[in-house]
Amino acid sequence: MISLRYHVVSIAACFLALAVGVVLGSTALNGTLLSGLAGEKKDLGTQVADLEAQRNGLTARLADADAFAGSMGPKVVAGALDKRSVVLVTTEDARPADRDVLKQLIGQAGAAVTGEVQLTAAFADPEKADQLRDVVTRLQPAGSKFPTAGDSGTLAGALLGSVLLLDKTTAKPQSSPEELAAALGGLADGGFAKAGQDVKPAQLAIVLTGAQATGDGAGDRAATIARFAT
């Protein structure tokens, strides 16, 4: 006959065996897991080292390219814009250092900067396109003709082109000083642009942008600036 003591001893033996199995199993698993993690860590370390080497190489190449451009730039542009006038338009994300270098190259090319206008982030904001379109339409100088395209970038380009650029045939302003002031003031009041002091019309315009547009609506923002420049 099986006694109660036998049952107790049997149950205790089962639990002991289970505990020993868990310990042995976890020990083997931990060894395998740690070995795998160590291997992955080594692989990741190698990848990081390779990427750092690539970055350093690209940085060195970029520095060489900047140095070459800095030394050859004045020679390449010398006299290219002799006695010409230029108005400079920048986007808000354009780097001040790039703007300064560009102004220097314009001078080395023989031209003079007659004014600067900065487009704000709101200018290319898709959610404010309708507002910009309304402002530009109200500011259209008398007698000027705007493109039939109704997008905000094209219309804004037509507005600033009509007040900031001289007539390519006569080299005379296409609008009055009052219309120029009204256009720049209206865009500034709407939060779409900031104009420098004493901006005057020029023969040429340069549009300087920043880096590649990213985030939501990047394509629409880039397209607005491209159409404006066109």
Side-chain angles (χ1 to χ4, degrees):
M1 183 176 180
I2 301 175
S3 64
L4 178 60
R5 180 180 179 184
Y6 176 82
H7 283 294
V8 172
V9 172
S10 298
I11 293 173
C14 290
F15 277 110
L16 179 60
L18 179 61
V20 172
V22 169
V23 171
L24 293 176
S26 62
T27 300
L29 180 61
N30 285 339
T32 303
L33 181 60
L34 290 175
S35 177
L37 290 176
E40 291 183 5
K41 180 181 179 181
K42 182 178 179 181
D43 292 341
L44 290 174
T46 301
Q47 293 180 30
V48 169
D50 291 342
L51 290 174
E52 288 180 344
Q54 292 179 24
R55 182 196 63 187
N56 293 336
L58 292 173
T59 300
R61 291 173 59 186
L62 182 59
D64 290 342
D66 287 343
F68 177 80
S71 62
M72 295 299 298
K75 299 177 182 178
V76 172
V77 303
L81 299 176
D82 187 35
K83 298 179 182 180
R84 307 280 279 178
S85 56
V86 176
V87 62
L88 181 59
V89 181
T90 62
T91 58
E92 192 171 60
D93 60 344
R95 296 195 311 168
D98 291 341
R99 178 201 61 207
D100 294 341
V101 171
L102 182 58
K103 289 176 62 177
Q104 184 177 2
L105 284 174
I106 292 172
Q108 292 166 343
V113 177
T114 62
E116 296 182 49
V117 177
Q118 182 188 67
L119 306 180
T120 67
F123 182 90
D125 187 350
E127 295 184 358
K128 296 187 177 182
D130 291 338
Q131 181 182 349
L132 175 59
R133 188 184 299 109
D134 293 340
V135 170
V136 168
T137 302
R138 291 199 306 269
L139 296 172
Q140 181 175 0
S144 64
K145 295 182 179 180
F146 279 11
T148 55
D151 65 274
S152 60
T154 298
L155 293 177
L159 172 65
L160 288 183
S162 66
V163 298
L164 291 180
L165 291 178
L166 299 174
D167 185 278
K168 61 182 179 180
T169 303
T170 64
K172 295 181 178 181
Q174 301 181 75
S175 58
S176 67
E178 292 76 20
E179 289 172 328
L180 170 59
L184 295 180
L187 290 173
D189 291 342
F192 297 111
K194 300 175 183 178
Q197 295 292 328
D198 196 25
V199 178
K200 296 179 180 179
Q203 295 168 298
L204 303 170
I206 294 179
V207 180
L208 175 65
T209 66
Q212 178 180 351
T214 59
D216 295 338
D220 292 333
R221 295 198 304 273
T224 297
I225 298 298
R227 289 166 181 160
F228 164 79
T230 301

